[in-house]
Amino acid sequence: MNKFVLTNPVNIQLDTQGNWKDSAVVKRAVSRFHRDVNMTITQCGSPSGSIFLERTKMPSEQYTVLVEEEKITVSAGDELGIVYAFLYISEQFLGVQPFWFWNDQDFIMTHQKEIPVGEYRNQKYKVRYRGWFINDEVLISHWDGGVSSEYPWEMTFEALLRLGGNLIIPGTDKNSKIYAELASEMGLWITHHHAEPLGAEMFSRVYPDLEPSFQQYPDLFRGLWKEGIESQKNRRTIWNIGFRGQGDRPFWANDPTYDTAEKRGDLISSIMREQYDMVKKELPDALFCTNLYGEIMELYQEGLLSIPDDVIMIWADNGYGKMVSRRQENHNPRIPAIPGERMRGKSHGTYYHVSFYDLQAANHITMLPNSMEFVQSELQNALEHGIDKLWMINASNIKPHTYPLDFIAELWRDQETETGEHRKQYLRRYFGGSEQQMEEMAECIADYFTSTVSFGEWEDEHAGEQFYNYMTRHFIYSFLKNGPDTPCESVYWCVKAGSLADQIAWYEMRCQQGAQSYAALRKKCERITAGLWQDFMVLQVKIHAYCAQGAVLFCKGYEEYRRGKLMEAFYLMGQAMEAYEQADQAMREREHDKWTGFYANECLTDIKATAFCLQRLMGYIRNEGDGPDFYQWQREAMYSEEDKRVVLITNMENHLGDRELYRIMSSENMYRIWESLQTLHTEDLE
């Protein structure tokens, strides 16, 4: 027969020596495989054969699956070997793909699955530690997948394992403490946020009434580090050492004592050595890493940091996929984040973003704005410079980023997949359809990256959806605080001009490009009607398109205000508000089935907050143009021509709120008032 017939139920027997009987990791792997069988094979009575698990002397994470007609023998030297073996069988012979949960994979039930007789074994991956940082996790931390608050995290960790990952930062701050045990029980190594050395509690969380100063309270900091070591010493851990501030910013922002680079470097160096020694005392074979991130990169490149020799040095991209130091506010030194020749003998890793939150122009609820060709170039260059010990990918809320996450996993597995071919493979695994449809979808994905707006001179400076939201909100803030002429200093990072008008003119030009390119791409994408395609590509293009449209309308409204046409400015700000609300609504419309509530807590880009800010600005403009009695604009919008001119009674109806007034202005029978502005209407921009 030359095949093993896998039926449901399936009989799985642990090592006869009992090596796996107390392993939570193996028990979860077995339970997960039973679930995969239940998703793909109908129950038929009794098992046709058995799967035996054996512990043998093999390198870490390696496995052998020996398939015979009557049985399958899975051999591995450690728990992760068993985990990967079951996931291999699941993907290759049951058809369960790594993002089956996140991409709503459809399963066609069969009565059995046939596995050809033979020996199957895995290869060693190019990168030793391969992981995700579940950061800025505001969507999955407020959504339960229709099951429980823990369920989205379990599905996240499972997807990582299916992609060959073995390392996780299981959330930020409180979440990292809540879900570390689950991640460990699933077989993953744990490491820590660069702002949370040793995974210890943040000083200001434990001592909220004290100044977070190491100089003042060294023993309190040491106590927290000791507690962190004690609570995690029985887990597979790569201990992150370092010292930043309370939150994702440098400690000297709160401690003026450290007013020179030398003082800062000396303190961080001494603390890292102390943390290192504390862990080594408890765990002599411990592994360590440290992040050369942001301001830490600058200190290291200036020769002001001393790091123990066996610590993995993690070099970070700038949040846009380029291996240079990140921009912080208006400071953008772009120091190369690649080890030089003199550091070739050390261990190196990377902290790389497919999702980023910088309150400026990054992506969080849409894909990275730079292409996979660009990503491949940067990460292959990193590998060539010795960055092969650890890759930590900022994956945030998973669902918007499955495509780039899948591609990067190809790279860490050392597969030489060409980017265009990978796109087609990814689409084939999750979307199905004809070859022509595959070609059309692949072309849309490629076009997505060429549609992104350039906001700077560098090749990586392309805008995510935060650009259209944070820029607009910063301009509104500056307008209301400093008036319509004073330039907005908080956007000097991209446009430093002598007046707010000049800055907004620059912004309008960029946003107009985005509105046009995404409108064209949206029409192209919407010709494909597959449900998952609507959740994935159409939604992301809509978010960009509506936000870019809203930004253009805001700029036009500002121009009308500057010309003294306040009623027209009010109306255009209302249209801008409506465009951003359409972007928010587009997300909520894709919350079907288990995704109900997924976007409800979209609070970082927070598109709806941009709409709130625009409504606030509408009130300001109305106050100036229609106050203090607030009846004239209402009469203009609601009354006939003859009634507008006879004012014996100011108004015959209750005063309208700003939103209600805008709704009447934009109604079909009143649109004639704004004939001169017709070309700016949102529908026309689409």
Side-chain angles (χ1 to χ4, degrees):
M1 186 165 60
N2 294 324
K3 58 190 176 185
F4 176 88
V5 178
L6 181 62
T7 57
N8 185 5
V10 58
N11 181 38
I12 300 175
Q13 297 185 21
L14 301 182
D15 188 338
T16 55
Q17 302 300 314
N19 287 313
W20 305 117
K21 69 176 183 178
D22 296 322
S23 169
V25 174
V26 172
K27 287 178 181 177
R28 280 185 174 272
V30 169
S31 176
R32 184 165 51 243
F33 186 74
H34 279 300
R35 184 209 59 202
D36 291 354
V37 169
N38 287 330
M39 291 196 303
T40 55
I41 304 175
T42 54
Q43 291 194 2
C44 63
S46 59
S48 60
S50 297
I51 299 176
F52 295 88
L53 307 186
E54 288 187 353
R55 183 190 286 272
T56 58
K57 288 186 177 180
M58 298 180 70
S60 176
E61 302 182 3
Q62 301 300 292
Y63 63 79
T64 298
V65 177
L66 179 61
V67 180
E68 302 172 90
E69 291 185 4
E70 299 299 324
K71 68 176 182 177
I72 294 176
T73 304
V74 176
S75 302
D78 65 359
E79 294 169 319
L80 267 176
I82 295 293
V83 170
Y84 291 144
F86 273 118
L87 294 177
Y88 172 80
I89 297 169
S90 179
E91 180 173 354
Q92 293 299 313
F93 304 112
L94 301 181
V96 180
Q97 298 298 324
F99 288 114
W100 72 268
F101 172 83
W102 298 96
N103 283 343
D104 291 329
Q105 182 183 353
D106 288 327
F107 296 106
I108 299 174
M109 301 289 285
T110 62
H111 292 294
Q112 62 186 39
K113 296 285 185 179
E114 296 178 352
I115 304 177
V117 167
E119 186 176 84
Y120 306 88
R121 59 178 66 238
N122 61 339
Q123 301 298 316
K124 184 179 179 181
Y125 293 149
K126 181 70 174 178
V127 179
R128 175 64 185 93
Y129 298 105
R130 312 163 297 275
W132 291 346
F133 180 11
I134 312 307
N135 185 217
D136 304 324
E137 63 273 26
V138 295
L139 303 186
I140 64 171
S141 64
H142 285 67
W143 167 75
D144 63 8
V147 178
S148 68
S149 59
E150 186 179 87
Y151 187 56
W153 295 83
E154 181 184 353
M155 293 297 99
T156 294
F157 303 154
E158 179 182 318
L160 174 59
L161 287 165
R162 288 182 180 276
L163 291 167
N166 59 7
L167 177 68
I168 194 79
I169 302 177
T172 313
D173 195 17
K174 291 181 179 180
N175 282 333
S176 67
K177 311 298 188 296
I178 295 171
Y179 298 109
E181 185 62 27
L182 172 64
S184 184
E185 285 189 2
M186 293 180 71
L188 291 165
W189 286 74
I190 307 295
T191 190
H192 314 114
H193 190 301
H194 48 264
E196 299 175 299
L198 303 184
E201 288 283 2
M202 300 289 284
F203 184 94
S204 290
R205 186 172 298 287
V206 181
Y207 305 108
D209 299 327
L210 300 181
E211 189 70 28
S213 168
F214 184 80
Q215 185 180 47
Q216 294 183 55
Y217 306 109
D219 289 340
L220 295 183
F221 276 96
R222 291 178 181 122
L224 294 176
W225 300 336
K226 185 176 181 180
E227 290 172 9
I229 295 168
E230 185 64 28
S231 66
Q232 299 172 88
K233 66 181 183 181
N234 294 322
R235 296 178 185 150
R236 289 170 291 269
T237 302
I238 300 179
W239 300 89
N240 193 306
I241 60 175
F243 192 61
R244 291 195 86 204
Q246 300 303 292
D248 201 357
R249 59 179 182 171
F251 65 86
W252 54 85
N254 298 105
D255 194 340
T257 304
Y258 298 92
D259 55 359
T260 68
E262 290 76 14
K263 290 179 182 178
R264 297 162 184 172
D266 287 345
L267 180 64
I268 296 171
S269 297
S270 65
I271 285 177
M272 284 197 292
R273 170 52 69 176
E274 185 169 355
Q275 293 168 345
Y276 178 91
D277 291 341
M278 288 175 71
V279 176
K280 278 286 190 181
K281 184 178 179 180
E282 293 285 330
L283 304 164
D285 297 325
L287 298 173
F288 296 88
C289 65
T290 191
N291 290 76
L292 303 178
Y293 189 60
E295 71 285 343
I296 305 299
M297 168 70 72
E298 295 179 50
L299 291 171
Y300 184 76
Q301 296 286 40
E302 292 170 11
L304 300 174
L305 284 185
S306 175
I307 302 172
D309 288 340
D310 60 345
V311 174
I312 303 169
M313 294 191 292
I314 300 176
W315 305 76
D317 77 305
N318 64 346
Y320 296 79
K322 186 67 177 176
M323 293 299 291
V324 296
S325 60
R326 65 167 290 190
R327 179 180 56 249
Q328 298 192 83
E329 297 180 347
N330 295 324
H331 182 56
N332 190 22
R334 293 183 68 90
I335 297 170
I338 291 288
E341 286 295 326
R342 64 184 177 85
M343 291 180 280
R344 280 301 181 100
K346 294 180 179 292
S347 295
H348 300 286
T350 185
Y351 171 40
Y352 199 84
H353 296 77
V354 301
S355 175
F356 190 44
Y357 175 53
D358 67 350
L359 295 86
Q360 292 181 336
N363 67 297
H364 179 246
I365 52 174
T366 61
M367 285 190 295
L368 185 73
N370 290 306
S371 69
M372 294 306 101
E373 288 80 1
F374 175 82
V375 169
Q376 184 175 39
S377 175
E378 289 297 303
L379 288 176
Q380 285 186 339
N381 183 52
L383 283 171
E384 290 167 6
H385 283 81
I387 298 180
D388 60 3
K389 190 73 169 181
L390 184 156
W391 283 14
M392 179 60 66
I393 312 301
N394 190 318
S396 72
N397 298 280
I398 312 302
K399 185 172 174 61
H401 312 292
T402 54
Y403 166 62
L405 288 171
D406 192 87
F407 178 72
I408 290 175
E410 292 276 327
L411 298 181
W412 75 32
R413 288 192 296 254
D414 197 29
Q415 297 186 17
E416 299 295 330
T417 303
E418 188 268 332
T419 53
E421 182 59 30
H422 170 263
R423 270 194 292 275
K424 292 178 183 178
Q425 290 176 5
Y426 178 82
L427 291 166
R428 200 169 286 118
R429 290 200 303 268
Y430 296 108
F431 292 82
S434 66
E435 281 301 310
Q436 180 180 347
Q437 193 172 51
M438 291 297 106
E439 292 287 344
E440 291 173 354
M441 286 191 286
E443 189 175 306
C444 285
I445 294 175
D447 287 351
Y448 173 89
F449 299 109
T450 60
S451 298
T452 56
V453 169
S454 174
F455 60 80
E457 60 181 297
W458 301 100
E459 61 176 338
D460 55 287
E461 292 184 328
H462 291 101
E465 85 288 337
Q466 289 173 53
F467 180 70
Y468 305 110
N469 286 273
Y470 278 92
M471 290 288 286
T472 296
R473 298 206 293 257
H474 278 254
F475 283 137
I476 291 171
Y477 166 79
S478 183
F479 181 111
L480 294 177
K481 184 179 182 188
N482 302 315
D485 301 312
T486 304
C488 178
E489 293 185 6
S490 61
V491 302
Y492 279 178
W493 60 268
C494 66
V495 53
K496 190 171 183 179
S499 69
L500 186 63
D502 288 341
Q503 289 179 314
I504 289 180
W506 176 91
Y507 181 51
E508 182 181 354
M509 180 176 66
R510 298 310 192 274
C511 295
Q512 186 70 62
Q513 293 170 2
Q516 292 171 349
S517 61
Y518 287 116
L521 180 56
R522 177 180 170 184
K523 290 179 180 178
K524 191 173 182 179
C525 290
E526 286 183 329
R527 290 199 289 265
I528 302 164
T529 58
L532 176 55
W533 184 250
Q534 298 293 316
D535 289 358
F536 166 50
M537 203 67 219
V538 174
L539 173 59
Q540 298 210 18
V541 171
K542 278 184 175 181
I543 290 170
H544 276 280
Y546 283 132
C547 290
Q549 292 164 10
V552 170
L553 288 161
F554 159 74
C555 295
K556 295 294 185 186
Y558 170 81
E559 292 167 8
E560 293 300 303
Y561 178 89
R562 293 270 300 170
R563 284 195 278 267
K565 296 184 177 182
L566 302 189
M567 195 171 178
E568 289 87 340
F570 173 88
Y571 178 75
L572 284 167
M573 295 304 179
Q575 286 199 307
M577 172 188 70
E578 203 165 44
Y580 284 106
E581 288 177 339
Q582 285 176 297
D584 180 64
Q585 183 61 27
M587 289 187 287
R588 305 311 303 272
E589 287 172 355
R590 301 317 304 168
E591 294 182 325
H592 55 85
D593 305 311
K594 71 188 181 195
W595 300 109
T596 300
F598 183 75
Y599 292 103
N601 195 51
E602 193 283 287
C603 63
L604 292 185
T605 297
D606 209 344
I607 296 173
K608 57 191 175 297
T610 311
F612 296 157
C613 289
L614 282 158
Q615 185 172 351
R616 193 175 304 129
L617 181 57
M618 289 167 67
Y620 176 90
I621 294 171
R622 186 180 179 191
N623 184 72
E624 184 174 336
D626 196 30
D629 297 315
F630 302 100
Y631 68 85
Q632 190 59 53
W633 287 8
Q634 188 166 325
R635 291 179 65 90
E636 190 70 23
M638 295 178 63
Y639 291 8
S640 64
E641 289 298 322
E642 60 272 20
D643 286 342
K644 291 176 189 176
R645 286 159 176 74
V646 179
V647 187
L648 298 177
I649 301 176
T650 57
N651 51 292
M652 298 294 292
E653 300 83 17
N654 288 325
H655 287 81
L656 296 174
D658 296 335
R659 182 178 286 271
E660 291 77 16
L661 177 59
Y662 165 71
R663 294 295 183 204
I664 289 176
M665 287 180 172
S666 61
S667 63
E668 184 176 348
N669 67 329
M670 291 305 303
Y671 194 67
R672 57 190 171 80
I673 297 174
W674 312 107
E675 289 177 356
S676 63
L677 302 177
Q678 247 180 343
T679 57
L680 302 177
H681 194 269
T682 301
E683 291 177 0
D684 296 314
L685 283 171
E686 291 176 3

